[in-house]
Amino acid sequence: MLVPFSEDTQLNWQLKTVHPSTLVSQYLIRTDDPKCRSLPGQPRMLLYHPQLYLQLDREFLTPDLDRLAPHLWLLATQSSSHINPLHEQVLKGCNIVITENPELHLTWTDNRIFIKPIPPYMLSHAFWITHLLPLPSDCTGGVHIEPPSNALVKAVLGYMRTYYYLIRHESDLHIAKRSRLLPPSATEITLEQFYAFIAGFGDIEDNQVSPRYSCYGTLRLSRLNLWAKIFLHRFQFYHINRQYSEYFARFYAPTLFFFGILTVVLSAMQVGLQANTDVHQDMNQWVVLQKTSLWFSVATLMCICVIVTAMTLLFAFMLSRELVFATKGIISRKSHAHSVDNSAFDTLDYDKQRMGRAPWNPYFSKQSISRIQPLLIQTAVNKLCKKSAEYQAAGKLSIMRNAYASLTTDVISDCSFPEGCDFLSRPGDFDGEHYYAWMTLSRPSHSLKQFHWLFPLLDAMPIWVPKYTSPGIYVFLKQQNYLHEQAKMIHQQQEHVDYKEMNLRPSLIRSFTDSNLLPEDQKHPARIKGEAQISIGAGTLTTSHALKVGTYHILADKHVFDNLMPQLKIVIPDPDTLPTLQESERIPYLMAITSRISTIFPDRLLVYKERTIPPGTPMSMTPLHIHDNAEIFPLPYDFQPERWLPLNTNELLLLNFLVRFGGGSRKCVGMELGKAEFLTAIANVFRRFGEWMVLWETAKERDVGIIYDVSNSMASRESNGVMFLFRKECKY
């Protein structure tokens, strides 16, 4: 990241950089006093000292507010620009109080607002390129400058950005000078000069600053003190009362009010009780007064009840209004996030979609898949076979859906991220909860498509809510957090000065962030997480479903099984010898077994029968309607690999109608990966275990047939996931 202001617009000229030489060992010197070794305005902070960054951390980091950031929506408006300029602060009767505590910056209480003044060195371009955003060594004459922590840089950027909102007018600048918010060296600057300096900070995005400044501006100190008891586990956020009398004084009014209410209630009850006794005894002539006193006491009690109820309802109304306002703020921010294209998959614009897809194409090309197949796909399949051998030895039932979902998740996560999921290495049964989580999210897909505001509501939901209400959604949200952490890690590594020299594990997401084909604003963590989420979901569900269905039909149809196994034995004579992808592709019957569409025409009309579709209209169709068409595929519900044989004739004729991977610019980018997974898994599993595998309590209509279309094909809710058993002796 570059410094938000240039050397020409800096407001402090007391520091400058010098070209290193044999006579100069330092890169930053003072211009006003070359012998001085401290920062301007900070005699205790030396230009070069091992403790300098620790001192800067104390000056700008806000660890407590960063911890509170996920909960600040309860007490503040969710907008980083929610900062009134200085003249409005004065108009509201707030006294500007200087504070050097970064935690108190822009907090207010009663008629005071606390603001941290800008240190003189923060106005110096030389200081920024030396200590905050250092240039690479090839730009500094070979001098290596230790970079600061990412947290410090974000905190400083967020802090400086607040002055973009505090000083907007000439009057604001005058108040800032009078209140000593600007250093003495800046007392003569004009508004034009200040704006030229601060304008770059206004362009800083929320994801570039610390959590305290990312979504919030001014904060109410009394509410911070209240919520600190819950979230920080301490009595107060900051103690501002010097004496006990000041602290207890605020309790006097509510205490007196409470005792006043009790006194009136008790007096009314006493009068009513006495009047009621005298009326019944009829001992005097003041019956009218006694009855009046009785009803007056009752009326007083009713008035007290009405007042207390009204105040309680008013308090509840004000509290609920603030909660609704805060919740709307969360939904608004999340809706804005979802209104931005967060992956190439959900980008409608034709040109943007092609640009977003470009970094993925080389990674999923046939050449790339052939290269990674022995290292990645075959390794995962070996783990699957090893775990299957454990099932065989134990005589346990295996659920195909879970077995293949674990395989495909491991493969796509290893492709996509620096750290894969590695479900197949975990002890115990095959993982099924992540597949279940994705299908749980798929079930309401049609509703989510129509009611898009449910997406931000789902994102804003605390993770503990679905933990007890929807285990599938809970697992999905946990996985989202995992993807977000991976995206943040990649983003932080990318900001490191020596990023290009780091020997980091290659991955699809890293190639996406390193791509020169995308602008920088398309590489933020939210976008990375969106791409990661699409790759995991698509790479897990589609291929695992194809593997499950293919395995079922091979086991259920003896004719198919008898045709496949001899060809496997010819190409793979030794079951322990790992076949290459090219060897698997030379098995005709396996290729025959192996044998969704969405597109946009951006620049021309599309005519379909009597209908005319305007340019740029998103269109989609279900491939099931084509694949189940008996005019194209006779007996479409029969599993007949022979319909594709011989491969060089029949396959070419039918390929025009095979749309399982889509077509056009939105064709499935992972097509070659899916084919490689299918061929490798089927070849290995059936060559090693095919003669010992038998289906167990599996029904085609219930466990294999497509009953629901919820973006992903789904079998019956009563399905057991297609179970099979590894016999200990050969079944034939």
Side-chain angles (χ1 to χ4, degrees):
M1 181 178 178
L2 300 177
V3 179
F5 60 96
S6 66
E7 187 175 2
D8 295 334
T9 59
Q10 67 179 345
L11 300 180
N12 186 290
W13 300 85
Q14 293 176 278
L15 295 172
K16 76 172 184 177
T17 57
V18 294
H19 192 280
S21 67
T22 56
L23 301 177
V24 180
S25 60
Q26 294 180 332
Y27 185 61
L28 187 67
I29 64 172
R30 291 280 293 266
T31 58
D32 55 338
D33 185 1
K35 295 182 180 180
C36 183
R37 293 293 181 263
S38 63
L39 291 175
Q42 290 288 351
R44 296 188 178 187
M45 299 174 65
L46 301 181
L47 292 174
Y48 293 93
H49 192 275
Q51 302 295 320
L52 176 60
Y53 284 134
L54 291 178
Q55 293 172 316
L56 290 174
D57 287 347
R58 288 194 292 269
E59 287 290 319
F60 296 103
L61 291 187
T62 56
D64 289 338
L65 288 177
D66 289 345
R67 285 175 57 195
L68 277 174
H71 314 290
L72 288 178
W73 62 275
L74 292 166
L75 52 96
T77 300
Q78 298 171 72
S79 172
S80 57
S81 62
H82 183 64
I83 302 173
N84 291 327
L86 293 175
H87 77 275
E88 288 191 18
Q89 304 287 358
V90 175
L91 186 64
K92 293 181 178 181
C94 287
N95 296 319
I96 298 174
V97 180
I98 287 180
T99 178
E100 295 295 346
N101 184 349
E103 300 274 10
L104 291 181
H105 180 59
L106 290 185
T107 60
W108 63 275
T109 179
D110 298 328
N111 61 344
R112 291 178 291 174
I113 182 169
F114 303 97
I115 301 178
K116 179 178 173 62
I118 301 180
Y121 55 85
M122 279 294 160
L123 307 178
S124 169
H125 185 269
F127 176 82
W128 277 77
I129 64 173
T130 305
H131 290 303
L132 289 179
L133 296 171
L135 299 173
S137 58
D138 56 352
C139 300
T140 58
V143 172
H144 175 71
I145 302 174
E146 189 68 26
S149 66
N150 190 52
L152 174 61
V153 174
K154 288 190 171 186
V156 171
L157 290 174
Y159 161 75
M160 292 299 297
R161 187 177 65 169
T162 61
Y163 274 88
Y164 176 80
Y165 301 107
L166 285 172
I167 302 178
R168 309 183 196 180
H169 308 279
E170 190 75 39
S171 57
D172 299 325
L173 183 61
H174 177 72
I175 295 172
K177 294 177 180 179
R178 186 183 63 194
S179 302
R180 304 292 182 91
L181 297 179
L182 299 177
S185 59
T187 53
E188 301 301 325
I189 63 172
T190 64
L191 183 62
E192 288 76 13
Q193 290 174 314
F194 181 81
Y195 182 77
F197 164 79
I198 205 70
F201 291 97
D203 297 329
I204 294 174
E205 300 291 338
D206 286 345
N207 58 12
Q208 295 177 289
V209 300
S210 62
R212 183 266 177 265
Y213 297 108
S214 63
C215 300
Y216 306 97
T218 53
L219 302 172
R220 189 180 299 185
L221 188 55
S222 59
R223 294 190 178 182
L224 286 174
N225 287 333
L226 172 65
W227 291 105
K229 299 176 178 63
I230 300 174
F231 298 115
L232 296 182
H233 308 295
R234 66 190 198 205
F235 190 67
Q236 284 188 326
F237 178 80
Y238 188 81
H239 184 70
I240 59 174
N241 301 116
R242 297 183 59 188
Q243 299 180 6
Y244 287 120
S245 58
E246 296 178 1
Y247 177 77
F248 286 105
R250 57 181 178 170
F251 298 110
Y252 292 162
T255 303
L256 290 175
F257 176 78
F258 177 73
F259 278 107
I261 289 290
L262 285 181
T263 301
V264 173
V265 170
L266 291 174
S267 299
M269 292 175 66
Q270 184 178 9
V271 170
L273 182 62
Q274 184 64 39
N276 187 47
T277 303
D278 292 343
V279 168
H280 285 291
Q281 291 179 354
D282 199 18
M283 296 175 59
N284 53 62
Q285 300 177 354
W286 301 90
V287 176
V288 176
L289 179 60
Q290 291 163 353
K291 290 185 178 181
T292 303
S293 300
L294 175 61
W295 286 108
F296 185 79
S297 62
V298 173
T300 302
L301 291 173
M302 293 179 64
C303 288
I304 294 297
C305 291
V306 170
I307 292 173
V308 172
T309 303
M311 295 187 67
T312 303
L313 292 176
L314 179 62
F315 176 78
F317 169 75
M318 296 175 66
L319 181 62
S320 61
R321 186 180 65 172
E322 293 195 7
L323 288 175
V324 169
F325 178 78
T327 305
K328 283 183 177 179
I330 291 179
I331 294 177
S332 176
R333 289 180 62 85
K334 296 290 184 178
S335 296
H336 175 71
H338 280 279
S339 66
V340 180
D341 300 324
N342 278 332
S343 70
F345 178 81
D346 54 19
T347 302
L348 289 181
D349 185 88
Y350 179 80
D351 295 324
K352 286 184 179 180
Q353 191 272 338
R354 288 178 65 90
M355 180 179 65
R357 180 189 170 100
W360 300 77
N361 293 331
Y363 205 86
F364 281 119
S365 66
K366 189 173 182 62
Q367 293 78 8
S368 296
I369 299 303
S370 298
R371 186 173 61 254
I372 68 172
Q373 189 268 347
L375 302 174
L376 198 154
I377 301 176
Q378 186 63 60
T379 300
V381 171
N382 289 342
K383 293 180 180 179
L384 173 68
C385 292
K386 180 181 177 182
K387 206 172 186 67
S388 297
E390 296 174 1
Y391 272 75
Q392 183 182 27
K396 293 171 56 178
L397 286 171
S398 177
I399 301 177
M400 289 186 194
R401 178 188 62 201
N402 297 347
Y404 288 135
S406 299
L407 169 69
T408 54
T409 303
D410 281 0
V411 171
I412 190 61
S413 62
D414 269 338
C415 279
S416 302
F417 315 121
E419 297 180 11
C421 297
D422 202 14
F423 290 143
L424 291 171
S425 296
R426 298 182 182 180
D429 295 334
F430 290 112
D431 177 80
E433 65 174 5
H434 285 81
Y435 179 89
Y436 174 75
W438 280 104
M439 293 309 296
T440 300
L441 191 69
S442 295
R443 288 189 184 102
S445 59
H446 297 303
S447 300
L448 291 172
K449 187 185 299 183
Q450 303 302 323
F451 304 99
H452 57 86
W453 52 268
L454 290 172
F455 273 111
L457 191 62
L458 181 64
D459 279 352
M461 184 188 304
I463 196 169
W464 54 266
V465 174
K467 183 177 182 180
Y468 301 103
T469 58
S470 178
I473 296 296
Y474 173 67
V475 173
F476 174 78
L477 292 179
K478 280 203 310 181
Q479 189 175 62
Q480 269 203 324
N481 291 340
Y482 166 76
L483 298 180
H484 185 66
E485 292 301 318
Q486 292 266 310
K488 282 173 57 180
M489 180 184 69
I490 294 174
H491 190 70
Q492 291 170 0
Q493 289 174 345
Q494 197 178 27
E495 292 179 349
H496 198 278
V497 177
D498 301 324
Y499 172 71
K500 292 184 178 179
E501 286 73 28
M502 295 171 128
N503 187 19
L504 299 172
R505 179 180 181 272
S507 64
L508 185 149
I509 298 299
R510 201 179 295 284
S511 68
F512 174 84
T513 57
D514 293 344
S515 173
N516 296 323
L517 301 174
L518 292 177
E520 290 301 317
D521 61 353
Q522 295 293 310
K523 300 179 182 180
H524 52 82
R527 174 86 185 198
I528 297 174
K529 187 186 81 170
E531 301 286 1
Q533 185 172 318
I534 291 299
S535 67
I536 287 288
T540 296
L541 299 178
T542 53
T543 310
S544 64
H545 175 75
L547 284 166
K548 179 192 73 172
V549 173
T551 301
Y552 167 80
H553 284 294
I554 295 172
L555 293 177
D557 192 327
K558 189 176 184 302
H559 170 74
V560 174
F561 182 88
D562 291 341
N563 277 279
L564 174 64
M565 292 304 296
Q567 295 189 23
L568 287 176
K569 291 179 180 180
I570 293 173
V571 178
I572 315 172
D574 183 2
D576 296 326
T577 302
L578 307 179
T580 64
L581 182 59
Q582 290 73 19
E583 289 174 338
S584 299
E585 290 175 339
R586 288 200 298 267
I587 305 175
Y589 206 78
L590 178 60
M591 290 298 294
I593 292 174
T594 306
S595 310
R596 63 188 190 176
I597 191 161
S598 178
T599 187
I600 294 178
F601 289 84
D603 53 0
R604 58 187 172 91
L605 292 171
L606 186 68
V607 179
Y608 176 72
K609 296 183 178 180
E610 67 277 2
R611 297 181 181 273
T612 301
I613 303 174
T617 302
M619 298 173 295
S620 64
M621 61 185 297
T622 302
L624 205 62
H625 294 160
I626 298 178
H627 296 163
D628 290 353
N629 190 331
E631 295 180 3
I632 302 173
F633 299 101
L635 301 175
Y637 297 104
D638 290 351
F639 189 75
Q640 297 179 357
E642 288 80 8
R643 76 172 79 234
W644 301 95
L645 297 174
L647 294 179
N648 59 350
T649 56
N650 289 15
E651 182 188 34
L652 294 178
L653 293 174
L654 293 176
L655 274 180
N656 293 327
F657 305 101
L658 191 66
V659 291
R660 66 193 189 280
F661 292 112
S665 64
R666 293 177 183 259
K667 180 172 61 176
C668 176
V669 70
M671 176 176 63
E672 296 299 333
L673 176 64
K675 289 180 180 178
E677 286 181 278
F678 189 94
L679 288 171
T680 306
I682 293 295
N684 279 264
V685 169
F686 276 91
R687 183 61 186 94
R688 299 185 188 186
F689 304 101
E691 295 176 331
W692 289 269
M693 295 168 61
V694 291
L695 294 170
W696 186 269
E697 295 183 358
T698 298
K700 179 180 178 181
E701 294 75 14
R702 182 193 65 193
D703 301 315
V704 180
I706 298 175
I707 305 300
Y708 303 103
D709 176 13
V710 287
S711 296
N712 296 294
S713 55
M714 185 176 174
S716 170
R717 297 183 188 274
E718 289 74 33
S719 172
N720 58 24
V722 182
M723 296 194 300
F724 64 94
L725 184 68
F726 293 103
R727 292 184 181 272
K728 295 186 178 180
E729 66 280 350
C730 181
K731 62 182 179 181
Y732 299 120

